[in-house]
């Protein structure tokens, strides 16, 4: 089955540590996205990538970093500079970033808890 | 940029009733409007979408209507069932550029058996 795999499902870290969330897709999609979800806040865009080796900041990129070395993979690093990192993180993909009439395909998320 | 408002934030209905969720958008150039359903602990999944060249689309118990003049679109669920309980998100997309959909804040639908 084609889809998006996020791992792990739950992640716990101590404050001050960097942590990397994994996102892999086998849909052969060009574009990938990272969203953060907090209760009552909807989906907020962190970073997106339209093509390998290129990515753009979203609305809340501060304290996060990404890489896109392979088409299938778009890992997100939550750095110690992120002031409130505890949240549910969603990865998504779409066939082409310019496909405005194509829906996003989401993974099942990683819930990060930082104490 | 585009702004999408979604109402209500919470909707509670009895099984068998209808549910309606409404969204408004600000950019008249938007021409693609998907709806996503997010079950607890999972990622959102597309349930229906509509493009600006049509006013209504149906798929079994769900339908979406679009009023481009008023810049609003709505999700209608008939004969609700407990498994319809979830968070629903609307979104709007403007053609061209880098394409990033703008999401509403979500509606938590609770269907009581």
């Amino acid at each position: 089955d084609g889809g998006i795999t996020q791992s792990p499902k739950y992640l716990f870290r101590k404050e001050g540590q960097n942590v990397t969330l994994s996102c892999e897709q086998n849909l052969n999609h060009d574009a990938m996205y990272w969203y953060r979800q907090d209760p009552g806040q909807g989906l907020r865009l962190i970073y997106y990538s339209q093509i390998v080796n290129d990515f753009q900041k979203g609305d809340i990129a501060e304290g996060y970093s990404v890489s896109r070395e392979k088409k299938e993979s778009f890992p997100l690093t939550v750095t110690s500079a992120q002031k409130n990192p505890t949240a549910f993180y969603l990865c998504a993909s779409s066939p082409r970033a310019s496909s405005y009439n194509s829906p996003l395909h989401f993974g099942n998320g990683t819930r990060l808890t930082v104490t | 940029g585009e702004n999408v408002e979604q109402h209500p934030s919470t909707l509670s209905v009895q099984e068998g009733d209808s549910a309606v969720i409404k969204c408004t958008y600000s950019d008249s150039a938007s021409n693609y409007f998907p709806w996503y359903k997010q079950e607890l602990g999972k990622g959102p999944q597309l349930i229906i979408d509509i493009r600006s060249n049509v006013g209504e689309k149906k798929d079994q118990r769900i339908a979406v209507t679009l009023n481009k003049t008023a810049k609003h679109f709505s999700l209608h669920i008939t004969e609700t069932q407990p498994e319809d309980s979830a968070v629903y998100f609307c979104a709007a997309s403007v053609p061209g550029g880098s394409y990033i959909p703008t999401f509403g804040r979500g509606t938590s639908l609770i269907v009581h058996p």
Side-chain angles (χ1 to χ4, degrees), chain A residues 102-104 106, chain B residues 32-37 44-49:
Chain A
S102 294
L104 299 186
F106 285 89
Chain B
Y32 177 61
F33 308 92
W35 285 89
Y36 296 85
K37 174 183 180 182
Q45 301 295 315
L46 179 76
I47 55 171
I48 195 168
D49 57 10

Side-chain angles (χ1 to χ4, degrees), chain B residues 58-78:
Chain B
K58 289 184 179 180
D59 183 2
Q60 298 183 350
R61 295 187 297 108
I62 61 174
V64 57
T65 59
L66 172 65
N67 183 327
K68 288 203 69 180
T69 303
K71 291 190 285 188
H72 68 70
F73 56 111
S74 300
L75 178 70
H76 304 253
I77 306 174
T78 60

Side-chain angles (χ1 to χ4, degrees), chain B residues 20-90:
Chain B
V20 180
I21 302 170
K22 299 181 180 181
C23 289
T24 60
Y25 60 99
S26 61
D27 193 332
S28 57
S30 289
N31 66 352
Y32 177 61
F33 308 92
W35 285 89
Y36 296 85
K37 174 183 180 182
Q38 184 180 26
E39 297 178 346
L40 194 62
K42 295 186 176 181
Q45 301 295 315
L46 179 76
I47 55 171
I48 195 168
D49 57 10
I50 191 168
R51 291 167 175 77
S52 60
N53 57 344
V54 298
E56 183 176 3
K57 183 177 179 180
K58 289 184 179 180
D59 183 2
Q60 298 183 350
R61 295 187 297 108
I62 61 174
V64 57
T65 59
L66 172 65
N67 183 327
K68 288 203 69 180
T69 303
K71 291 190 285 188
H72 68 70
F73 56 111
S74 300
L75 178 70
H76 304 253
I77 306 174
T78 60
E79 300 174 16
T80 53
Q81 302 167 4
E83 51 264 39
D84 294 328
S85 296
V87 178
Y88 292 81
F89 291 97
C90 64

